[in-house]
């Protein structure tokens, strides 16, 4: 065998070995690769890196982001924090709830740890001393909203898609939904929470979920301009965001999708019970009212009642008080029927026809509801 053949064989063997090593490594670094944490320019940049799973948030990601956020907050060389998602389709489509459901059914600790640590991260974002910029390009739901809405700046694009769809899976709009939803204009947050209605593009900004709107083709330029700032103040960062926002042209003159319905939404969702809301929608009879009625009727009756009370109570609580309440609710849902049934119907079997228990609002008693909101004593969320 000629020398070059030997060499070629050896090189291909070496290449194969390198590839194998790489694969072995990727098994170990999967968790590490799911979120990238980098210092760039004047900023700390968090990149959610699970594009195949629409950047869904899992416990290992929470455990990497939280300590890094705290470090950057204390670092005099870090002037802002940027969080974004990879892949263009999603910022973050939510928490990895399938894993949480499986863990809860197997009585594993993950179901406690995930919610506890996720909510502590939501609170850390809210109290972060450095300007925090979330680029919510693409799908932003549930856990993804928790990673963005509590930060100082949230930048939507025409590709943004916001929803809190938890009532459809037997859960409730958590991650501080009990705090930020009732603080949106009028009763808009109550409407979004109970129906799971989706807001797209500039409407995410108009609703108050985002603080700025930027055309997506300008997003990488915006990021570069933010990173290039020299020791910026909060005002310098706001100026850059404002400039891009002012120049964005997409859907500039398009009215808010809910504009013509806002007065009705405010009156319908001022009712004090889910049963009353349903009755009012039936009486109204307009096509928009009946669409919302149809959506609400698909939701878990238990979730609907929990959610209305969560928002009513949350409207006068601090974020930490809300997260404490939501942690209690999360643990009660883990021990209940509807969350696991919702995950089965929507994410596992995908038959989209969950069998809720109880199946009727009338059967969800005040006593049942009170049990969901009960203190967990020494297991309560602590900050």
């Amino acid at each position: 065998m000629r020398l070059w053949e030997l060499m070629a064989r050896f090189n291909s063997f070496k290449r194969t070995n390198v590839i194998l090593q790489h694969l072995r490594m990727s098994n170990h670094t999967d968790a590490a690769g799911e979120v990238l944490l980098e210092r760039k320019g004047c900023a700390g940049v968090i990149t959610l890196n699970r594009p195949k799973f629409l950047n869904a948030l899992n416990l290992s990601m929470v455990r990497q982001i939280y300590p890094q956020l705290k470090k950057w907050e204390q670092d005099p060389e870090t002037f802002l924090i940027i969080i974004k998602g990879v892949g263009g389709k999603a910022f973050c489509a939510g928490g990895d709830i399938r894993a949480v459901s499986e863990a809860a059914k197997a009585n594993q600790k993950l179901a406690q740890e995930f919610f506890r640590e996720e909510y502590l991260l939501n609170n850390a974002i809210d109290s972060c001393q450095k300007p925090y910029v979330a680029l919510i390009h693409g799908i932003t739901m549930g856990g993804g909203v928790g990673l963005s809405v509590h930060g100082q700046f949230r930048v939507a694009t025409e590709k943004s898609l916001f929803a809190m769809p938890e009532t459809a899976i037997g859960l409730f709009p958590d991650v501080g939904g009990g705090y930020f939803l009732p603080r949106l204009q009028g009763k808009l947050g109550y409407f979004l929470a109970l129906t799971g209605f989706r807001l797209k593009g500039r409407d995410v900004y108009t609703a108050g979920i985002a603080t700025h709107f930027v055309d997506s083709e300008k997003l990488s330029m915006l990021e570069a301009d933010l990173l290039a700032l020299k020791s910026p103040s909060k005002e310098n960062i706001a100026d850059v965001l404002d400039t891009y926002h002012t120049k964005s042209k997409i859907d500039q003159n398009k009215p808010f999708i809910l504009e013509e319905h806002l007065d009705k939404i405010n009156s319908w969702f001022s009712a004090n019970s889910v049963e009353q809301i349903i009755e009012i929608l039936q009486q109204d009879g307009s096509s928009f009212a009946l669409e919302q009625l149809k959506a609400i009727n698909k939701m878990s009756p238990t979730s609907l009642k929990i959610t209305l009370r969560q928002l009513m109570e949350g409207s006068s609580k601090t974020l930490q008080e809300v997260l404490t309440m939501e942690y209690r609710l999360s643990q009660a849902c883990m021990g209940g029927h509807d969350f696991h049934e919702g995950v089965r119907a929507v994410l596992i079997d995908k038959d989209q026809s969950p069998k809720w228990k109880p199946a009727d609002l009338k059967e969800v008693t005040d006593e049942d509801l009170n049990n969901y909101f009960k203190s967990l004593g020494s297991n309560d969320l602590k900050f």
Side-chain angles (χ1 to χ4, degrees), residues 119-120 122-123 126 150 172 175-180 183 309-329 372-375 380-383:
Y119 296 177
L120 290 176
N122 300 149
N123 180 63
D126 173 72
H150 303 296
F172 57 93
V175 298
Y179 181 81
F180 75 83
R183 284 166 175 78
R309 178 161 158 188
Q310 171 206 359
L311 266 60
M312 283 174 159
E313 291 196 10
S315 65
S316 58
K317 288 184 188 302
T318 64
L319 177 62
Q320 289 194 352
E321 289 168 341
V322 165
L323 291 168
T324 302
M325 165 178 73
E326 291 180 355
Y327 184 69
R328 292 168 181 171
L329 295 173
Y372 275 85
F373 285 82
K374 265 208 314 240
S375 164
D380 260 340
L381 184 63
K382 288 174 210 64
F383 295 95

Side-chain angles (χ1 to χ4, degrees), residues 166-222:
E166 288 82 0
T167 51
I169 53 158
L171 206 55
F172 57 93
D174 65 336
V175 298
Y179 181 81
F180 75 83
L181 288 166
R183 284 166 175 78
L184 297 177
Q185 54 181 301
K187 294 288 174 180
L188 178 61
Y190 290 78
F191 164 75
L192 295 171
L194 293 168
T195 63
F197 189 89
R198 296 176 167 202
L199 294 171
K200 295 175 185 156
R202 202 177 274 267
D203 289 339
V204 178
Y205 163 74
T206 313
I209 302 296
T211 56
H212 295 80
F213 178 89
V214 172
D215 301 345
S216 65
E217 60 174 29
K218 298 280 193 293
L219 210 50
S220 51
M221 276 168 63
L222 165 64

Side-chain angles (χ1 to χ4, degrees), residues 167-171 296 298-305 338 356:
T167 51
I169 53 158
L171 206 55
I296 288 173
K298 286 183 180 157
M299 305 305 185
S300 152
T302 305
S303 289
L304 290 169
K305 286 202 172 182
D338 280 4
W356 305 125

